[in-house]
Amino acid sequence: MLRHTLAGLLATATAIAVPAAQPAPAQAAATAPAQLTAISCSTAATGSGRFYDGPSASKIYDAKFSAGPLVAQLGTHTPQGAATWFNWDGPNRNLLLVTSYRTNARSLIIGINPGTGKTVGVVAIAASHVGGITVSNGWAFVQGGNSGSNGTIRKYRLSELRTAMKKAGTPYLKQVGTARVVYGASFISSYGGYLWSGRFQEKTRGKMYQYKINANGSLTTINRAWEVPTKTQGLLVAKNHFIFSTSYGRTNRSNLYVVRRGQPDLDRARLKCFRAPSMSEGMTELGGRAYLVFESGSHLYRSDPRTLNVIPRLHKTPLSALTAMV
């Protein structure tokens, strides 16, 4: 986790250009107005909240989402990223992937059968915060290193990950080549052969960049920055939308932002924001459903009375229930 404080309104800030560390190509900062307008999230009345622990986050959230599969390894690791592996073991045999970390220990990629909710396999990878994961073009891309100003993205061959996922126990899988240095990799998503990754910012809006995924797993930068909400922890890229999961603090609710793609400036973009349970993290889509991960069910937080919502499961909703908002 990136340790959380209030996931509320977007902070007011002016975007500044921060060059990517080498070997990433130069990246131009998004153009921002001199004065940004704070974007408010709906504070509509709370709902029933009956499918998860703790108080209701919002009536909107409770009406759209429901409980999904249980996340494994919560007794030792903390969930972060989420991804979908289509046809992982044959046609229409799909897998949900969740990354989890533990301080001073190897991180995990956990495979979940979306139909049965059962854990298919668990694969160990080199220690990292693993804040994001995505699958595309024969590769799994995972955040490398710890949270920081810049980020790295590691890549894993899906053929090798498939073999490891089928093995008993927790086999270790090495990355291919060296990690790619990028502007930020606090969250990662992909769509249509492109990858998006960006940097978490606690008090200001952050930025993300788009990369073309090449056949060998290398990433070619699209020289344009997209503004992202304050405290962004997860991202789902859909055909016409970006959906951001933002949170910071076990005592505070999260926010979900549904943003119409095409406008890199959030002040000019069409968007909706509403409250979600505390400590939301990565997002992914499978079978027309959006899945949301929470870190609050981890051993680090579930016994803490300050944790607002202890959620050991993925939550799910029809993707259309979100995209129809804008």
Side-chain angles (χ1 to χ4, degrees), residues 193-319:
Y194 291 88
L195 179 149
W196 284 260
S197 72
R199 184 186 300 176
F200 170 95
Q201 297 281 16
E202 178 187 349
K203 297 181 179 180
T204 65
R205 297 179 192 175
K207 292 188 296 184
M208 68 179 181
Y209 285 88
Q210 180 182 357
Y211 305 84
K212 184 181 184 298
I213 303 171
N214 302 309
N216 63 357
S218 63
L219 302 174
T220 300
T221 308
I222 306 300
N223 198 32
R224 180 192 195 188
W226 298 78
E227 195 173 45
V228 304
T230 306
K231 307 175 180 70
T232 295
Q233 301 276 14
L235 167 67
L236 189 165
V237 180
K239 181 179 180 181
N240 297 311
H241 296 80
F242 294 128
I243 303 172
F244 297 100
S245 160
T246 75
S247 66
Y248 199 65
R250 68 194 75 185
T251 62
N252 305 305
R253 289 181 294 175
S254 306
N255 288 333
L256 293 182
Y257 292 80
V258 182
V259 182
R260 175 71 69 161
R261 283 175 57 180
Q263 173 53 257
D265 179 354
L266 287 178
D267 286 302
R268 297 186 176 96
R270 293 173 54 192
L271 62 83
K272 294 289 185 181
C273 178
F274 61 95
R275 306 295 195 194
S278 63
M279 306 181 80
S280 67
E281 289 288 332
M283 297 188 73
T284 191
E285 181 272 334
L286 173 60
R289 293 187 180 91
Y291 290 84
L292 177 62
V293 174
F294 296 86
E295 60 184 351
S296 56
S298 159
H299 65 105
L300 294 178
Y301 311 110
R302 64 190 181 196
S303 298
D304 188 340
R306 297 173 298 170
T307 303
L308 192 64
N309 304 109
V310 176
I311 301 177
R313 297 179 174 274
L314 299 171
H315 282 179
K316 60 184 180 179
T317 184
L319 179 61

Side-chain angles (χ1 to χ4, degrees), residues 53-64:
D53 167 79
S56 166
S58 69
K59 186 175 182 179
I60 296 174
Y61 185 89
D62 293 354
K64 294 183 182 297

